[in-house]
Amino acid sequence: MNWYHQFYHRQNELSGVYTGDIEAYHHDRVKLITRQRPVVDPKVLELGAGGGQVACATALAGYDTTMIEYVKGFTDHAQHLMKKHTIENLTVLNGDFYTIELAANFDVITYWDGFGIGSDDEQIALLKRCASWLNPDGIVLIDVNTPWYWANVRGQTMQFGTAQRRYDFDVYESRMLDTWWDSHTPDDKVTQSLRCYAPADLKLLLRNTGLL
């Protein structure tokens, strides 16, 4: 997992995705929580929260929210958004969700657009941690990449100004590959690699985690 710190920094330099304001699609994520919430006013934990836009939108919806993000610059941006939007019901934690100690239990745990960053064993360890953080009848909402989607979009490229992006798929490890670079420096590339799971594979992964 050593690639991820460099990748997310560089991705943000090229796109600004983690240092922008709260947009409509961030609020759309919160609608998923609202539809699935197990209690009236759930306590929400967001893992890998980036610049905090979804966490801030979650708090603005009235939910007591905690976010965890490893990159210090992104948690600084989340605190900036809190001040800008006068948000008081969000706790911003800078740390590693594989090792951080949490005192509170939560009704909803979310992990948007990032699951699969490590090995199967590391995913299992994280899922067990999620189970330990849940209140009775709590739920976990996770974006999970499927192998057939990434096999289908393999080779697709996009351009945003001078930033370029290419999708690929490692068929042997079943991992999506998301590569970014600046067109002025094409040899300076960074790549995100996330493990993809078919539903049956995900069910096997969830065995003995406490989440089935």
Side-chain angles (χ1 to χ4, degrees), residues 2-201:
N2 294 332
W3 56 265
Y4 70 89
H5 194 274
Q6 180 187 10
F7 173 83
Y8 293 123
H9 266 297
R10 184 60 174 153
Q11 183 191 35
N12 187 66
E13 288 176 350
L14 293 169
S15 67
V17 65
Y18 301 117
T19 48
D21 206 347
I22 306 167
E23 305 290 347
Y25 68 92
H26 299 123
H27 292 287
D28 288 341
R29 292 288 196 181
V30 184
K31 293 176 184 177
L32 295 174
I33 298 173
T34 302
R35 287 201 296 267
Q36 300 293 331
R37 63 186 180 185
V39 296
V40 175
D41 294 309
K43 293 177 61 178
V44 179
L45 171 66
E46 181 178 348
L47 307 177
Q53 292 95 331
V54 178
C56 285
T58 305
L60 286 170
Y63 302 135
D64 183 1
T65 306
T66 299
M67 62 166 273
I68 303 173
E69 170 55 44
Y70 184 79
V71 181
K72 180 65 165 61
F74 298 167
T75 53
D76 290 344
H77 180 69
Q79 291 169 337
H80 162 75
L81 290 178
M82 288 179 66
K83 293 179 182 178
K84 179 177 181 179
H85 295 279
T86 318
I87 297 170
E88 297 182 351
N89 56 331
L90 172 61
T91 300
V92 177
L93 300 178
N94 177 228
D96 184 340
F97 50 58
Y98 284 99
T99 58
I100 196 168
E101 295 298 328
L102 298 176
N105 287 327
F106 301 90
D107 302 296
V108 178
I109 297 174
T110 65
Y111 190 3
W112 310 118
D113 191 23
F115 184 74
I117 193 172
S119 66
D120 287 350
D121 286 344
E122 287 164 329
Q123 263 81 259
I124 290 169
L126 176 60
L127 292 168
K128 286 181 176 179
R129 300 206 88 200
C130 289
S132 73
W133 292 330
L134 279 179
N135 285 326
D137 299 322
I139 61 172
V140 181
L141 301 176
I142 299 177
D143 281 331
V144 179
N145 291 286
T146 60
W148 49 84
Y149 173 83
W150 284 96
N152 186 57
V153 299
R154 184 179 187 181
Q156 188 176 119
T157 61
M158 291 148 277
Q159 185 157 352
F160 316 94
T162 63
Q164 295 190 330
R165 184 181 196 182
R166 184 181 67 246
Y167 289 161
D168 208 338
F169 182 63
D170 180 343
V171 297
Y172 297 103
E173 299 293 334
S174 192
R175 299 186 74 90
M176 62 81 86
L177 303 173
D178 178 19
T179 300
W180 289 72
W181 69 96
D182 190 303
S183 58
H184 295 129
T185 55
D187 293 330
D188 182 18
K189 294 181 171 70
V190 291
T191 299
Q192 175 179 216
S193 169
L194 301 179
R195 175 76 159 88
C196 300
Y197 295 95
D201 295 327

